[in-house]
Amino acid sequence: VGVSWSDFLEERWRRDETAIKKALTKAGVEYISTDAHRSNEQQIKDIDTLINKGAKAIIVLSWDADALLPAIANAKARGVPIIAYDRLIQDKDVFYITFDNIEVGRIQAREILKKKPQGNYAFIKGAATDANADMLFSGQMEVLSESLKAGRIKNIGDIYTDGWSPDNAQKNMATILAKNGNKVDAVIASNDGTAGGAIAALNTANVKGVAISGQDADIAALNRIARGDQVVTVFKDPRKLGDAAGWVASELAMGKKLNQIAGTVQWVGGTKKIPITSLLLRPIPITSTNLATVLSAKWISKPQLCAGVDPLKGPDVCK
């Protein structure tokens, strides 16, 4: 089984890779991989390289899914099934495995709305090339639409973040602050990296008390929650996603058809509304009230979680 990685710059991808390798080893399947270093051209070449190396199925973490469609078509023509890993590829013959990203957006908005039921909201979105960014935003808008219409909250800016880069997120947040006289009450950042960038911009502008969301349960973000600097992240345990992807890939590599994989649904949530055979895992909100969840999962150590936390003021897990 081949894995075409878009990059390894996000903290979580190394954990995903470990889980995929473990699942493939358990199934008696060899792991081969490539890293496109965030290049569409390289990832297109990489998929062809994996086929030439004998991959019987390929897991693809896409950098720009639409740009990869010719490579996907070539793989299909050569009889190699494709598993779209965490990032949607809109092709009816691709297997899609992810956490429910629309629900992730709902979780982010629900938790921020609890903290800030009124005020100015900024939205630091993901990359425009990643369908997940729009799915997250649609989930956020589902939760916030009533408050927006009623005027209890106001959208003061929503900007895509090229490459999900924290540096670009910081620039986007600085732009929103400048346009609104630093008057912001909540920032719905679509992942923990962009949340970190937004927080850096807020700190530079000396803006305090802003409620901020994220996702991925990055170590730094969990520590920010413990310190009170971030309201919520979303735990999408990549060990579970990687394990499931490895299992699906090994099944497809051994000749099973998409509709023979147990637990799938026909998902039509993409912009093209194409029915896609999918396996959707359940995300878990993490706030200061349930940090014990990530400790018990051995996702983070207590010293990492509680670094810099005042034991008298911090969450119970740090006392």
Side-chain angles (χ1 to χ4, degrees):
V1 165
V3 183
S4 171
W5 297 98
S6 64
D7 67 279
F8 279 108
L9 296 180
E10 295 285 344
E11 173 187 308
R12 59 163 291 191
W13 301 134
R14 294 292 179 186
R15 301 203 198 207
D16 292 70
E17 182 184 45
T18 298
I20 291 170
K21 284 181 175 180
K22 186 175 179 181
L24 293 177
T25 298
K26 183 178 179 181
V29 175
E30 182 184 352
Y31 169 91
I32 54 177
S33 71
T34 54
D35 179 357
H37 300 286
R38 298 189 169 192
S39 163
N40 291 330
E41 293 78 9
Q42 185 60 49
Q43 192 158 35
I44 289 167
K45 293 176 184 176
D46 287 348
I47 291 170
D48 192 55
T49 296
L50 291 169
I51 295 170
N52 291 335
K53 286 185 175 181
K56 302 302 180 187
I58 299 175
I59 298 168
V60 177
L61 174 68
S62 61
W63 180 240
D64 181 338
D66 285 344
L68 293 185
L69 289 176
I72 302 304
N74 178 52
K76 287 164 49 178
R78 297 172 69 177
V80 179
I82 297 291
I83 300 96
Y85 188 78
D86 202 44
R87 293 175 179 166
L88 175 65
I89 297 171
Q90 298 194 69
D91 183 300
K92 67 180 179 63
D93 298 314
V94 166
F95 190 101
Y96 179 40
I97 183 164
T98 190
F99 284 86
D100 185 341
N101 286 302
I102 294 175
E103 178 60 17
V104 171
R106 295 188 194 109
I107 287 170
Q108 292 168 332
R110 284 189 202 113
E111 296 302 327
I112 295 300
L113 196 59
K114 288 177 190 175
K115 290 287 184 182
K116 298 287 183 176
Q118 299 180 59
N120 289 340
Y121 274 53
F123 298 84
I124 304 299
K125 299 160 73 173
T129 56
D130 184 351
N132 284 353
D134 290 326
M135 284 187 264
L136 291 164
F137 191 63
S138 69
Q140 294 159 10
M141 289 297 105
E142 276 186 35
V143 172
L144 299 176
S145 59
E146 183 180 337
S147 293
L148 285 163
K149 288 175 184 176
R152 291 189 293 272
I153 66 173
K154 179 183 178 182
N155 179 352
I156 61 168
D158 55 81
I159 307 178
Y160 287 106
T161 304
D162 187 33
W164 295 85
S165 159
D167 288 342
N168 291 332
Q170 183 173 352
K171 292 173 187 174
N172 289 343
M173 189 71 240
T175 297
I176 292 172
L177 288 169
K179 287 182 178 179
N180 293 279
N182 288 350
K183 293 180 180 178
V184 60
D185 300 288
V187 177
I188 299 191
S190 286
N191 77 345
D192 290 333
T194 56
I199 288 169
L202 291 166
N203 288 341
T204 297
N206 198 31
V207 178
K208 306 296 183 185
V210 179
I212 300 169
S213 72
Q215 70 158 314
D216 291 335
D218 284 356
I219 301 301
L222 292 167
N223 178 245
R224 288 196 295 263
I225 291 172
R227 289 188 284 111
D229 296 330
Q230 184 170 321
V231 170
V232 62
T233 186
V234 183
F235 189 29
K236 307 186 308 180
D237 192 338
R239 296 169 299 186
K240 293 183 179 179
L241 189 65
D243 179 72
W247 165 68
V248 170
S250 62
E251 293 284 281
L252 295 176
M254 294 176 186
K256 279 198 174 181
K257 304 299 182 185
L258 300 188
N259 61 8
Q260 294 176 319
I261 304 297
T264 61
V265 296
Q266 289 298 302
W267 184 82
V268 290
T271 56
K272 298 178 183 179
K273 302 302 178 185
I274 299 170
I276 296 175
T277 304
S278 305
L279 190 61
L280 305 178
L281 282 65
R282 185 175 68 88
I284 301 171
I286 300 294
T287 68
S288 61
T289 63
N290 69 334
L291 285 167
T293 301
V294 287
L295 281 177
S296 61
K298 294 182 169 48
W299 181 253
I300 188 173
S301 69
K302 186 172 179 178
Q304 288 174 311
L305 178 64
C306 300
V309 176
D310 184 336
L312 297 178
K313 296 180 181 178
D316 289 343
V317 293
C318 293
K319 292 178 181 177

